[in-house]
Amino acid sequence: EDVLFVDLETTGLSNTPVFLIGAMVWDGSALSVRQYFARSLDEERAILSLFAELLSPATWLVTFNGKSFDWPFVQNRAYRHGVDVPFHGTHVDLLHVGRRVWGDNLPNCRLQTLERFICDRTRVGDIPSSEIPAAYRRFTRTGDASEMASVLEHNALDLITLADLITRLPADVARAAPRRRRARR
């Protein structure tokens, strides 16, 4: 019940606004997808604030490349807007776990590669991640939301894939984790 799956959609890779924060939480009987969508860049602070309400000290944050991208991105954007993101729980980054567990047997460890080979599922008609920032910019410029349905679906599928991957980890995955290196003196 303290697991929080998270995936972001942003307008770029470096200190640009986040416009969609996808979160999947246990609501007591099932997993529930919550998507915080900024209809304009002026709503970025609001979606960060709503997302922050999901965090607690007991939270297990599950992301894909989140230790390098998603979480630092959220922290940076929250700091810029004066939003407190009170997370001090455990962060499981499935990119790193996936590389350790399945990396030697796959062509790469991108999320959709893991989805195809590990979850045995292939997306059809999915908007490519690289096209999402431009689709959002068109939406904010024109008000035409037709592409946003594809973006929301892409984000939800990423969250579902994270949950699916967690269930497919071998029972001994803890032993597969690298040992912490001692600090050099």
Side-chain angles (χ1 to χ4, degrees):
E1 59 191 42
D2 292 323
V3 175
L4 176 62
F5 298 93
V6 176
D7 184 57
L8 304 181
E9 306 303 336
T10 68
T11 57
L13 294 177
S14 178
N15 198 25
T16 60
V18 58
F19 68 87
L20 175 60
I21 303 173
M24 191 162 57
V25 298
W26 183 256
D27 70 6
S29 60
L31 288 171
S32 173
V33 173
R34 298 178 186 178
Q35 292 175 306
Y36 303 103
F37 178 73
R39 295 166 295 184
S40 72
L41 295 178
D42 294 336
E43 293 183 346
E44 182 184 31
R45 183 184 196 290
I47 68 170
L48 289 162
S49 295
L50 289 168
F51 170 69
E53 292 175 9
L54 296 176
L55 299 169
S56 77
T59 299
W60 281 71
L61 188 66
V62 179
T63 63
F64 193 84
N65 196 30
K67 286 186 177 181
S68 298
F69 182 76
D70 296 74
W71 188 245
F73 206 99
V74 165
Q75 289 178 308
N76 183 7
R77 300 308 296 172
Y79 178 78
R80 183 177 192 281
H81 289 289
V83 174
D84 184 31
V85 285
F87 172 69
H88 305 287
T90 301
H91 188 162
V92 178
D93 188 330
L94 287 178
L95 171 61
H96 303 290
V97 174
R99 283 179 178 158
R100 284 194 308 269
V101 174
W102 300 298
D104 291 340
N105 302 314
L106 299 175
N108 61 59
C109 280
R110 291 189 303 238
L111 185 60
Q112 288 189 17
T113 303
L114 294 173
E115 183 177 59
R116 185 171 65 242
F117 288 95
I118 305 304
C119 303
D120 197 27
R121 197 173 54 249
T122 303
R123 297 184 193 188
V124 176
D126 186 42
I127 184 170
S129 296
S130 62
E131 294 178 17
I132 290 175
Y136 182 72
R137 285 191 290 276
R138 281 190 294 277
F139 162 69
T140 59
R141 190 177 65 251
T142 67
D144 180 358
S146 58
E147 291 179 285
M148 291 302 97
S150 296
V151 172
L152 292 166
E153 181 179 4
H154 172 92
N155 179 264
L157 289 172
D158 283 354
L159 294 168
I160 290 165
T161 299
L162 292 177
D164 196 356
L165 287 170
I166 284 280
T167 68
R168 295 171 187 272
L169 288 171
D172 64 347
V173 75
R175 289 193 300 259
R179 301 199 188 283
R180 294 179 188 231
R181 297 179 190 192
R182 292 183 180 204
R184 292 183 184 174
R185 295 181 187 202

